[in-house]
Each structure stands twice: as C-alpha cells, then as structure tokens.
Amino acid sequence: MINNELIISKLIKHVNIIADNNCFKNLGKTNIRSTATAILNASSIEEIKLYIFYKASKKDSGWDNTIKVENKEKKLGEYINCVIDEIYKDCNGDEKQTIKYAAKFLGYLYWRLYGVIK
C-alpha cells in the first residue's frame, strides 16, 4: 500500500534540500512548469528520467546546477532523477502513481522557488 503522507513528506524534504543548496539559478518559472507538464504526459518513468537527463545536459539550463548532498556533488537533474527513483520504490513500482508524485514534486519545487524565495 502506498503511504501518501510519507511520500509527500519526503518530497518536501527534497525540495528543501534543493532550496538549501540555492540551486535555482537559471531555473525559470516556465522551465519548471513545462517539465511538470512533460512528466504528466510521460508514459514511463524511464521517459521522465531521460527528459530530465537531457535538460541537465544543457549548459546553464538550471538543471545543470550543482547540488551537494551528503558530501557528494551532483547536477540538479541527476538529483531529481534520484528522487524519482525513490518515489518509484515508495510507490511499489506503480508507474502511474510515480508519475503523479513526480509532477507534484516539481509543483512543490515551483512553489518553493516562486512562493518562498522570491
């Protein structure tokens, strides 16, 4: 069974980690919203991860910003793909639910970026 409260609390924790690392440079409103929309339209988790990887490979996209977690540096896009893997596990391999929560995660990231910080 999927534990909604646990997943939501983890998503918020990850958003706060990203915010604490000040990883928002060059990550515009439209960029986040269009990515959330693309996630909702995806047919698989691998499609989402490939899209995030593509965005992170573009220089100065915002998705290529460096985030430091547990003394390791990653690109923001790589970190987000790790979060998606975690969501997938928490959803017991249910891709439809994972896609829903991944889009929610981007929504929370958007709120944090444009509701709290700016």
Side-chain angles (χ1 to χ4, degrees):
M1 178 166 215
I2 296 173
N3 185 336
N4 184 59
E5 288 180 27
L6 176 66
I7 294 172
I8 297 298
S9 69
K10 284 183 177 183
L11 298 181
I12 292 169
K13 177 192 85 167
H14 288 299
V15 165
N16 289 332
I17 288 169
I18 293 168
D20 292 346
N21 274 268
N22 199 21
C23 284
F24 295 126
K25 181 182 171 202
N26 297 331
L27 199 59
K29 288 180 182 181
T30 303
N31 197 338
I32 295 171
R33 285 197 313 235
S34 66
T35 303
T37 300
I39 286 173
L40 285 173
N41 291 323
S43 56
S44 72
I45 303 309
E46 291 306 314
E47 183 180 337
I48 292 169
K49 290 174 63 178
L50 182 61
Y51 183 66
I52 300 285
F53 179 76
Y54 160 75
K55 290 182 88 58
S57 70
K58 295 169 82 178
K59 189 175 185 330
D60 297 325
S61 65
W63 301 100
D64 66 332
N65 293 337
T66 300
I67 182 169
K68 191 171 184 179
V69 181
E70 298 173 357
N71 296 320
K72 295 179 187 172
E73 289 189 355
K74 296 181 178 185
K75 286 184 178 182
L76 177 59
E78 182 184 356
Y79 181 75
I80 289 173
N81 276 341
C82 289
V83 172
I84 291 169
D85 286 337
E86 187 177 325
I87 296 167
Y88 183 71
K89 288 176 189 168
D90 290 340
C91 289
N92 304 314
D94 184 327
E95 288 205 24
K96 187 175 180 180
Q97 289 298 312
T98 303
I99 289 168
K100 178 185 94 171
Y101 284 114
K104 238 181 225 259
F105 174 67
L106 269 285
Y108 295 158
L109 189 61
Y110 177 87
W111 290 348
R112 180 69 195 260
L113 175 56
Y114 290 101
V116 177
I117 292 177
K118 289 197 176 185

